[in-house]
Amino acid sequence: MKAVTVRDQISPRSTNRVEKISVMYLSAHPGCDCRCMMCDIWKGGEDKAEVSLRQLDLYLDSAARLGVGRVMLSGGEPLEHSRFEQLCARVKRGGLKLIVFTNGIHLSPKAVMIAELCDQVIVSLDGTPPVHDRIRQRSGCATQLASGIKDLLHQRPDLPITARTVVQKPNCDDLPGIVRYAKSLGVRGLSFLAADVTSTAFNRPVPWDEPKISQIALSHSDLSKLSRSIEILLGDCSPEFQSGFVRNSPGQMWDIYRYYKALLGLGELPPVRCHAPWQSVVVEADGTVRPCFLHPPYGKIGDDSDLVELVSSPEARRFRRQLKVTQNEVCRRCVFAGSRLPSDILV
């Protein structure tokens, strides 16, 4: 029989009470100036309020009490925040690592400030320039992204910049080309993940219908393209896997294939492991607090409740106690789960 240690007795998994959070994902600005095919955040996001500096101070006070070490600013598009520099300065004043996840359009005009205040930048990269612009549904945004990365590295050559690619119908046949293009941009690494086409996250009031899903998810013929693309990727880009430039393992690349294959009813979803509800928290621009991006919220930060109370509220503890990640349908279909999305946080 395995001896029960003190560590086992006080672990979050045993009590379902969260007393320490490693990462807080904060949606700083709900709007976005891209119109990405695989995302609905931009739909109606401009009508919602961005995080105020007063709200941020409340969140950071709670973050300090929860032992948060990193804050990832996302959105929408965080660089559209009207007081982005003050936002970043407040996070850094609290001694936290600051990571910004961005579409890259506004990097150039803010390069000096980002280089000074941010510890890492993660950019969305959907493919080589024509494919990137097609998926983003905005002409010229690949050029803006490339210029922004160049300007950032000019200001601070050692700034960790990584890229994240959502594998989907328009780009599934050229994964090696995406790796080569990412390297030409000067980023430090690249990760791949599948597209979320089944949840109600990211400003979707209801799940997508079949016609919309078919624009993003892979068809039978697309599966063959992806399979061949992964085979070429693993061969031609073997040094990039060995060096860690490609953050995915070969197994994780094939999990993307198996994920899309399962959506077509041709097999089982790949196994999933995830600790997000015990280790991180998602805070939306209006103060809504979620255990992760896909599950329903615990509640909303307000005058009568703060982040510390919400993550260990009876509702939150009940959720974690009842959550069986390997069986829950939301978890089983999650493309962000720890076993499927490699860590592209470098700081």
Side-chain angles (χ1 to χ4, degrees):
M1 179 181 296
K2 178 185 175 182
V4 178
T5 66
V6 172
R7 182 182 179 89
D8 294 329
Q9 292 174 336
I10 64 173
S11 71
R13 285 285 191 170
S14 63
T15 66
N16 290 297
R17 181 179 181 85
V18 171
E19 297 178 348
K20 182 176 176 59
I21 292 290
S22 58
V23 184
M24 179 170 72
Y25 299 93
L26 175 60
S27 175
H29 183 84
C32 185
D33 43 9
C34 282
R35 299 293 181 262
C36 302
M37 296 171 60
M38 68 290 188
C39 177
D40 287 337
I41 288 178
W42 55 271
K43 295 181 178 179
E46 301 298 343
D47 297 330
K48 301 176 182 178
E50 63 184 15
V51 171
S52 70
L53 297 182
R54 177 182 174 278
Q55 286 175 302
L56 180 65
D57 287 340
L58 293 175
Y59 302 165
L60 293 179
D61 176 71
S62 294
R65 287 185 284 149
L66 285 167
V68 171
R70 301 175 181 87
V71 173
M72 180 183 285
L73 295 182
S74 62
E77 172 50 50
L79 270 65
E80 286 191 47
H81 195 283
S82 61
R83 304 182 72 180
F84 184 72
E85 183 171 359
Q86 293 96 320
L87 208 69
C88 293
R90 274 171 154 80
V91 173
K92 292 301 295 178
R93 194 160 60 230
L96 302 169
K97 296 288 187 180
L98 176 59
I99 306 160
V100 174
F101 183 64
T102 174
N103 61 33
I105 291 177
H106 303 287
L107 285 176
S108 282
K110 300 180 187 292
V112 174
M113 181 270 293
I114 293 172
E116 178 182 354
L117 292 175
C118 297
D119 295 287
Q120 183 181 349
V121 175
I122 303 175
V123 299
S124 295
L125 178 64
D126 296 318
T128 53
V131 176
H132 182 83
D133 284 4
R134 176 187 169 195
I135 292 175
R136 297 267 137 181
Q137 300 192 99
R138 175 170 172 152
S139 178
C141 58
T143 299
Q144 291 173 296
L145 172 62
S147 296
I149 293 172
K150 180 180 179 181
D151 291 342
L152 269 181
L153 292 176
H154 175 74
Q155 294 294 328
R156 184 176 156 193
D158 65 338
L159 178 64
I161 305 174
T162 57
R164 181 184 292 180
T165 297
V166 177
V167 178
Q168 53 193 292
K169 184 185 287 288
N171 66 11
C172 67
D173 60 344
D174 190 26
L175 304 188
I178 297 173
V179 172
R180 289 191 293 270
Y181 183 59
K183 291 197 74 176
S184 75
L185 292 174
V187 300
R188 190 173 294 186
L190 171 70
S191 62
F192 293 97
L193 75 160
D196 170 39
V197 298
T198 62
S199 81
T200 55
F202 310 112
N203 203 33
R204 299 175 196 162
V206 295
W208 281 345
D209 58 20
E210 197 57 42
K212 174 60 178 177
I213 292 175
S214 66
Q215 295 176 24
I216 309 300
L218 307 191
S219 65
H220 290 76
S221 60
D222 293 325
L223 271 180
S224 298
K225 295 177 185 178
L226 177 60
S227 176
R228 179 59 179 156
S229 188
I230 292 174
E231 289 174 354
I232 297 172
L233 175 71
L234 296 179
D236 292 358
C237 298
S238 176
E240 284 71 27
F241 279 90
Q242 293 175 5
S243 69
F245 179 85
V246 177
R247 311 293 295 174
N248 306 69
S249 68
Q252 286 173 323
M253 296 306 306
W254 284 115
D255 276 349
I256 295 174
Y257 172 82
R258 284 189 282 269
Y259 178 86
Y260 280 121
K261 185 176 179 181
L263 294 186
L264 291 171
L266 301 176
E268 294 294 321
L269 288 161
V272 61
R273 299 184 307 278
C274 186
H275 307 286
W278 289 267
Q279 297 178 344
S280 61
V281 66
V282 175
V283 181
E284 298 179 359
D286 66 353
T288 297
V289 177
R290 296 178 182 271
C292 66
F293 291 102
L294 303 188
H295 279 288
Y298 296 143
K300 190 172 181 179
I301 298 172
D303 295 334
D304 58 347
S305 61
D306 65 11
L307 180 60
V308 177
E309 294 168 337
L310 286 173
V311 297
S312 283
S313 65
E315 294 81 3
R317 296 174 69 178
R318 186 181 309 112
F319 168 80
R320 289 188 287 268
R321 183 173 62 251
Q322 296 175 350
L323 181 63
K324 308 298 181 186
V325 171
T326 58
Q327 301 170 20
N328 183 277
E329 280 304 306
V330 172
C331 296
R332 292 182 67 237
R333 292 172 177 269
C334 177
V335 300
F336 304 99
S339 56
R340 295 179 185 163
L341 176 63
S343 176
D344 42 15
I345 296 179
L346 302 181
V347 296

